[in-house]
Amino acid sequence: MPTADLTDLAQRLERHLGDPHDPASRMPFARILELDEREEYPYPFVNLLHRWGVHEYALPEEQGGRAGDVEVGFTLLRLVARRDPTTATGLIISNLSFMPAWIAGDDAVRQRMVDAMRHGHRYAWGLSERLHGSDLLSNETRARPTEGGWLVSGEKWLIGNARVADGLVVLARTSDHGGPAGYSVLLLDKRTAPAGAVDELPRERLHGLRALDMSGFRLHEVFVPDSALLGREGQGVEIALKSSQVARALINAIALSATDTALRLTLDFAAQRTIFGTAVADIPYSRRQLTECFADLMIADALCLGAVRSLQVVPEQASVWSSVAKYLVPTMLERTVSQLNVVLGARFYLRDHPHYGVHQKMLRDLPVANFADGNTVVNLKALASQLETLLGNDSAADRAAARERVATLYGMDRPLPRFEPWRQELFSRGRDDALLSAPAALDRLREMAADAKHEDRAWLGRAAEVAEDLLDRAGSVAARLAENRRRAGRAHSHSAELFDLAKEYCLLHAAAACLHTFTQSSGAQVEPLPSAALLLLQLERLRRWWHPHEAVTDSAVVDEVMRVLRDLHAADRLFSHWPVALAPRGELPAART
């Protein structure tokens, strides 16, 4: 979707939902907090968004949905989640439960599910089990062949939407031998199953997302017809893993949005709170904290820009892009929101404050992006198994091809190819276009520095130096990888050192994402972006993962980034490279106390 069309669509949703601080708006913080306190599923908001059609932007056009580009649904989800991550999670669970059918189902089953979802039906994705977690090859739920179909028995647990869902998509063992080819995915209509055949498990009380339905179900010889098999028999694990790659890219909308709201609330406080005769926002230490948190959020935004678009541009690399984003974005932004707590002070701890009370909800809700659809260990393991080929790829042909594709991966104004989720692969064969094309992006940044004026010339030049230092670390990571393999032998693949190297790889990919976003999308951004000072601060923030006490910016850079941040906040703009205008905010008298 063209940039202008995407921003127009996003802004129409924003205007429809209104200012969340206004109790009279359609989705106000006051009502969101009330449902959260009562742990009551947000039916009013889910139904409101269904009526507007938000969920249809995650359903294929061929079956009557409106999905063209994945980033459209991702952007709309961000606007929901900035108000309530719980409602956004409820929506994304249902949409991602459709993904196995989109990947492997025939047209008839896709049409049946899309028609049901457009009429308000909800789905749950029955993947994990109580005793096995993310170890899919140990799952015990069985589907036994019978005349005309299958009889499904077993229990699924920690399943979002399990009790409120009308339909269940279930990964079940269909072979006595198990193994990668021993599982299949089946679609089950919970509402038409015989009485007693589907037991809903008790709802689990959560630390965050308190109003979400997180529970499970137990199946007793539930018959499903042959037509309910999604894909081929034995294809279940492949379908599940491909579905998870999409989920890992999209669920980061929750982390981005929770941080956006937390930063916005903290800015309100810092601008209006005076300490010792000075506004908090003008105290050098607080100003630095705010700009660092903004830089973190914009790093995450750049990471997600590439990761979401990669699902359409380079689906064969999805295992890398989705895992990098799913590990680093929530990990980094949990730290970011904790840093905001320092600026906000005691108010971050107040649950009932009319303006700041929502901050503590965002603090609790954000971690769902860390453990849902593959936790930190799962994502690092997916990268660790590919590190040797990723770091060893010096193919001139691959680098040249990557340079061609990166213009679309990070060019916000570039059209995307059709989304075909079945084209994903589970291993990237050493290709990561972000890093393969990073040297070319660095050359382009130096050219832009030479053409820049005044302070921007110096800031871009310094940014290029920091970026070069970061990218050069790939050689050190590769050398330590080889040494760990030599020293650890067979234990290498499960060693803690390997997982640490995978973390460093994520930081290298993030540095490349910042470079590409600046060099490929500068022309698509709107004042006060792009910002040379912000790019320098982003790269410094990544460098400080290695050198936590060594800063490369100075007060002039911080002051300029603060100006950008204040301009975006005053203009009611999303804290993103995307120029999305938010619903105008009214007076905020409650913020002054």
Side-chain angles (χ1 to χ4, degrees):
M1 180 179 286
T3 303
D5 293 347
L6 188 155
T7 54
D8 178 67
L9 177 68
Q11 287 160 191
R12 280 194 279 122
L13 176 60
E14 270 290 313
R15 289 193 298 271
H16 182 71
L17 297 179
D19 174 14
H21 289 285
D22 180 0
S25 67
R26 289 185 171 91
M27 199 170 173
F29 284 141
R31 178 65 171 145
I32 289 165
L33 289 173
E34 180 185 340
L35 293 175
D36 192 68
E37 287 292 324
R38 297 208 310 251
E39 301 183 23
E40 184 177 320
Y41 189 81
Y43 286 108
F45 301 137
V46 173
N47 293 338
L48 165 70
L49 294 163
H50 276 178
R51 287 193 296 272
W52 194 86
V54 169
H55 63 303
E56 294 188 16
Y57 289 93
L59 302 175
E61 291 178 336
E62 293 84 350
Q63 278 76 40
R66 303 183 188 182
D69 296 339
V70 182
E71 68 185 349
V72 175
F74 181 79
T75 302
L76 297 181
L77 192 69
R78 287 179 71 170
L79 302 180
V80 175
R82 85 177 188 91
R83 294 167 168 82
D84 184 19
T86 305
T87 299
T89 304
L91 285 172
I92 199 173
I93 288 170
S94 202
N95 287 334
L96 290 175
S97 298
F98 172 75
M99 193 55 61
W102 201 344
I103 290 171
D106 59 29
D107 288 342
V109 74
R110 289 181 192 168
Q111 189 67 62
R112 186 163 73 251
M113 290 185 71
V114 169
D115 288 346
M117 293 174 72
R118 292 183 67 202
H119 284 85
H121 287 212
R122 300 175 182 86
Y123 284 88
W125 186 192
L127 193 59
S128 62
E129 296 182 5
R130 192 184 303 267
L131 296 180
H132 308 297
S134 57
D135 183 5
L136 300 184
L137 296 183
S138 294
N139 276 7
E140 298 178 49
T141 297
R142 292 294 306 268
R144 181 167 53 84
T146 189
E147 184 177 354
W150 306 82
L151 293 174
V152 188
S153 298
E155 178 182 294
K156 296 292 182 177
W157 181 71
L158 277 192
I159 306 301
N161 280 4
R163 294 170 65 88
V164 303
D166 303 281
L168 306 174
V169 180
V170 180
L171 178 73
R173 183 189 289 248
T174 48
S175 165
D176 291 336
H177 302 292
Y183 291 83
S184 304
V185 178
L186 297 143
L187 175 62
L188 186 155
D189 188 341
K190 190 172 72 172
R191 304 305 182 197
T192 60
V198 180
D199 288 335
E200 295 174 343
L201 301 181
R203 184 174 161 213
E204 300 292 340
R205 300 188 69 191
L206 305 176
H207 171 69
L209 304 178
R210 290 176 176 174
L212 187 69
D213 170 35
M214 183 63 71
S215 52
F217 52 84
R218 189 177 296 112
L219 308 175
H220 305 276
E221 297 285 286
V222 179
F223 174 79
V224 295
D226 286 327
S227 60
L229 179 68
L230 302 182
R232 301 184 307 275
E233 181 181 346
Q235 197 182 1
V237 172
E238 176 190 345
I239 294 169
L241 292 175
K242 288 181 177 180
S243 298
S244 291
Q245 289 177 168
V246 177
R248 290 170 189 175
L250 298 185
I251 202 169
N252 285 311
I254 307 295
L256 290 172
S257 300
T259 308
D260 185 292
T261 294
L263 178 56
R264 214 169 287 276
L265 293 167
T266 307
L267 280 169
D268 290 341
F269 168 79
Q272 299 188 36
R273 177 68 166 172
T274 299
I275 300 292
F276 305 121
T278 304
V280 170
D282 294 326
I283 297 172
Y285 181 73
S286 299
R287 177 187 294 259
R288 178 84 193 206
Q289 301 296 308
L290 290 165
T291 55
E292 286 180 345
C293 291
F294 177 47
D296 286 351
L297 181 53
M298 295 300 278
I299 293 169
D301 188 75
L303 262 173
C304 289
L305 174 66
V308 171
R309 293 171 75 90
S310 75
L311 295 171
Q312 289 172 245
V313 181
V314 285
E316 67 277 7
Q317 298 178 25
S319 62
V320 172
W321 293 71
S322 63
S323 295
V324 168
K326 183 61 166 55
Y327 159 70
L328 189 54
V329 170
T331 299
M332 178 169 59
L333 294 183
E334 282 190 51
R335 183 189 71 170
T336 301
V337 175
S338 294
Q339 189 171 345
L340 287 172
N341 296 344
V342 176
V343 181
L344 193 55
R347 282 159 183 78
F348 98 85
Y349 217 62
L350 303 179
R351 288 167 63 180
D352 292 331
H353 192 285
H355 188 74
Y356 303 113
V358 75
H359 180 91
Q360 52 80 30
K361 174 172 162 57
M362 296 298 168
L363 184 64
R364 288 186 286 104
D365 289 354
L366 190 157
V368 71
N370 211 326
F371 67 81
D373 287 295
N375 59 26
T376 293
V377 174
V378 169
N379 288 287
L380 290 176
K381 185 175 181 180
L383 289 170
S385 66
Q386 303 183 68
L387 270 189
E388 194 165 349
T389 55
L390 288 169
L391 291 166
N393 186 358
D394 198 30
S395 162
D398 281 349
R399 289 187 181 278
R403 286 195 296 272
E404 292 292 324
R405 291 189 292 262
V406 80
T408 302
L409 280 161
Y410 291 97
M412 291 161 48
D413 54 351
R414 296 293 185 97
L416 294 169
R418 181 171 177 259
F419 179 45
E420 297 177 338
W422 54 88
R423 290 183 53 224
Q424 294 177 81
E425 295 182 14
L426 302 181
F427 298 96
S428 76
R429 297 176 176 82
R431 296 189 296 276
D432 175 359
D433 284 356
L435 276 177
L436 285 169
S437 57
L442 184 56
D443 291 341
R444 174 59 185 145
L445 182 64
R446 291 194 175 104
E447 293 172 1
M448 295 173 76
D451 293 338
K453 307 294 183 184
H454 310 300
E455 295 94 341
D456 280 1
R457 177 192 290 260
W459 289 336
L460 290 179
R462 287 162 59 189
E465 292 173 3
V466 178
E468 182 176 25
D469 174 62
L470 291 172
L471 296 175
D472 282 348
R473 294 175 186 274
S476 169
V477 175
R480 284 180 284 140
L481 178 69
E483 173 60 19
N484 190 62
R485 175 178 287 280
R486 184 193 66 76
R487 186 179 63 252
R490 291 183 178 180
H492 167 72
S493 62
H494 301 290
S495 65
E497 291 79 8
L498 178 60
F499 279 67
D500 286 339
L501 292 171
K503 292 178 183 178
E504 290 190 53
Y505 185 88
C506 292
L507 296 170
L508 298 175
H509 183 107
C514 292
L515 283 178
H516 292 312
T517 301
F518 192 90
T519 57
Q520 298 293 339
S521 279
S522 286
Q525 296 177 55
V526 176
E527 285 288 339
L529 296 173
S531 165
L534 175 59
L535 176 64
L536 177 55
L537 187 55
Q538 287 174 284
L539 293 169
E540 177 194 300
R541 289 294 283 171
L542 290 169
R543 185 178 184 273
R544 289 179 77 181
W545 286 73
W546 283 281
H547 302 286
H549 304 295
E550 296 180 14
V552 298
T553 59
D554 51 38
S555 59
V557 172
V558 171
D559 288 346
E560 174 59 16
V561 175
M562 189 65 179
R563 181 193 68 79
V564 173
L565 176 57
R566 278 176 154 160
D567 285 355
L568 291 173
H569 187 44
D572 291 322
R573 286 257 302 275
L574 189 68
F575 295 144
S576 169
H577 297 92
W578 283 99
V580 176
L582 304 179
R585 300 199 306 168
E587 290 296 319
L588 303 174
R592 298 192 179 98
T593 60

